[in-house]
Amino acid sequence: MTKSDAPILVTGPAGFIGFHLARRLLAEGRQVVGFDNVNDYYDVRLKRARLAILAESPAFSFVEADLADPSAINQVFKQHRFDIVINLAAQAGVRYSLENPRSYIDSNLVGFINVLEACRHHAVGHLIYASSSSVYGANTRMPFSVSDNVDHPLSVYAATKKANELLAHSYSHLFRLPTTGLRFFTVYGPWGRPDMALFKFAKAILSGEPLDLFNRGDMRRDFTYVDDIIECLVRLIDRPAEFDPSWSAASPSPASSNAPYRIYNIGNSEPVELRRVVALLEAELGKKALIRELGMQPGDVPATYADVEALERAVDYRPRVSIEAGIREFVRWYREYHGA
């Protein structure tokens, strides 16, 4: 088997973005190896349902194990000659990181260093990994740019994602491992996570329970439809990070390097007020929301807004799915999945 024929490793295929990416790669005729511990951070039945769809393809194989276990990840790398590794497995959630920070250390730091070490020792050609818009933390200048300093995270989750970027750079520098980090901005769509806003809002509206709007409703998010995220990801796969000839050690850009290292924002670049999102859900669900206004949550930020110019230059693509169309598709799936 040559490197070009090798399967692609996708960690986190039982998760939201990992599932959509694996399904897209399988549809394109690629071999995919999935690696996931299928933890119970949220409903395991949803994760198993995603995996069942992927398992319908003979080109998909799955390993149920934890990235924090180096022997498990090394065994997978020994069995396959991966050229492309896409690390989407992580302990997600800003607020949960206040309750259980150690799970973020195990999944997002120990797990990530195990992936880096495996990529290093098995001569992987390109590592793509999930970062997060949460790394912008206390920044207030909008839109958030990859050239901005991100040294003030507001949650343990955000700090682990910033640490991922730093670890990736060290491996790119020391071992010339091409790494591409993607700062995801509020991804939504069918098969989404139950702890994300749209899922929680739809559930509250349909059940007639109060819907919580934090910061008294003065919140904006750069909602990005999952298909747009996946299109950008797929376009980046065969474009490994390269040395930036314009990079200067005297005035270093945080988004590139004299090593094969890149960071991109991956968002819609059109922040939407949460009240408008609620109104669109009300229209699609045919039911009014009972809104409860609350203060700001610890670790949260009032707005996110992605500058995606660097990503557009790299892959000649900007997200195209409107919030109206995206919510319509999400509601269609939500009704079908829950029989609502």
Side-chain angles (χ1 to χ4, degrees):
M1 178 187 293
T2 66
K3 282 283 190 177
S4 60
D5 296 326
I8 295 174
L9 175 63
V10 177
T11 71
F16 175 35
I17 300 175
F19 160 70
H20 280 278
L21 175 63
R23 188 166 64 167
R24 168 72 180 270
L25 293 173
L26 292 168
E28 292 186 351
R30 303 234 194 181
Q31 299 280 323
V32 175
V33 175
F35 190 105
D36 201 304
N37 67 359
V38 197
N39 67 30
D40 60 358
Y41 169 62
Y42 61 83
D43 190 355
V44 172
R45 291 171 298 178
L46 177 59
K47 297 183 177 185
R48 295 290 182 193
R50 295 176 183 138
L51 288 172
I53 291 173
L54 298 178
E56 293 173 1
S57 170
F60 179 73
S61 60
F62 179 63
V63 177
E64 186 167 341
D66 199 316
L67 285 181
D69 178 359
S71 62
I73 193 69
N74 286 332
Q75 181 60 37
V76 172
F77 274 77
K78 287 178 181 178
Q79 185 177 352
H80 305 277
R81 297 183 62 199
F82 298 121
D83 189 44
I84 307 295
V85 173
I86 306 172
N87 184 53
L88 301 176
Q91 177 57 63
V94 170
R95 280 162 290 286
Y96 186 61
S97 69
L98 277 68
E99 303 170 21
N100 191 5
R102 291 187 183 277
S103 68
Y104 291 76
I105 303 305
D106 292 340
S107 295
N108 301 3
L109 296 184
V110 176
F112 190 62
I113 199 71
N114 288 340
V115 170
L116 286 168
E117 276 289 278
C119 289
R120 165 197 174 190
H121 289 293
H122 293 272
V124 165
H126 190 195
L127 168 63
I128 300 174
Y129 63 94
S131 185
S132 168
S133 61
S134 297
V135 300
Y136 289 103
N139 292 19
T140 57
R141 185 174 65 180
M142 300 283 176
F144 293 146
S145 169
V146 290
S147 64
D148 293 340
N149 176 286
V150 289
D151 286 340
H152 299 87
L154 298 180
S155 68
V156 172
Y157 170 69
T160 63
K161 289 301 186 178
K162 167 67 173 175
N164 285 172
E165 296 178 1
L166 296 174
L167 287 166
H169 183 269
S170 68
Y171 273 70
S172 293
H173 170 74
L174 292 169
F175 310 114
R176 293 302 183 254
L177 170 65
T179 66
T180 301
L182 301 176
R183 294 173 179 170
F184 293 118
F185 279 71
T186 316
V187 188
Y188 75 100
W191 296 97
R193 291 191 350 238
D195 63 323
M196 296 295 285
L198 258 70
F199 203 111
K200 293 166 73 173
F201 289 177
K203 181 179 179 181
I205 292 170
L206 286 172
S207 65
E209 297 175 355
L211 182 157
D212 292 338
L213 283 185
F214 295 96
N215 201 33
R216 308 300 172 189
D218 185 17
M219 302 281 278
R220 292 183 303 143
R221 288 290 180 268
D222 200 348
F223 285 94
T224 314
Y225 191 66
V226 66
D227 286 359
D228 283 331
I229 292 281
I230 299 308
E231 180 62 33
C232 292
L233 255 170
V234 168
R235 293 189 185 202
L236 282 166
I237 283 175
D238 296 316
R239 302 187 186 192
E242 298 178 342
F243 305 88
D244 182 356
S246 66
W247 192 86
S248 167
S251 55
S253 165
S256 64
S257 177
N258 59 356
Y261 170 87
R262 285 290 190 280
I263 295 290
Y264 296 109
N265 285 336
I266 184 163
N268 201 49
S269 200
E270 290 186 8
V272 180
E273 292 184 355
L274 289 193
R275 289 188 183 278
R276 183 174 174 226
V277 170
V278 172
L280 290 170
L281 282 169
E282 289 174 327
E284 291 294 332
L285 293 168
K287 190 173 181 180
K288 295 293 289 183
L290 300 175
I291 294 175
R292 178 168 54 193
E293 294 184 353
L294 301 173
M296 181 68 85
Q297 296 185 102
D300 212 345
V301 295
T304 62
Y305 179 3
D307 177 342
V308 295
E309 182 181 348
L311 184 66
E312 184 178 7
R313 288 198 306 269
V315 298
D316 189 28
Y317 184 78
R318 286 181 66 93
R320 295 188 171 93
V321 179
S322 69
I323 189 68
E324 294 85 358
I327 286 180
R328 188 177 308 119
E329 285 303 303
F330 168 78
V331 168
R332 180 196 58 75
W333 168 79
Y334 188 93
R335 285 189 180 280
E336 179 180 333
Y337 181 76
H338 290 279

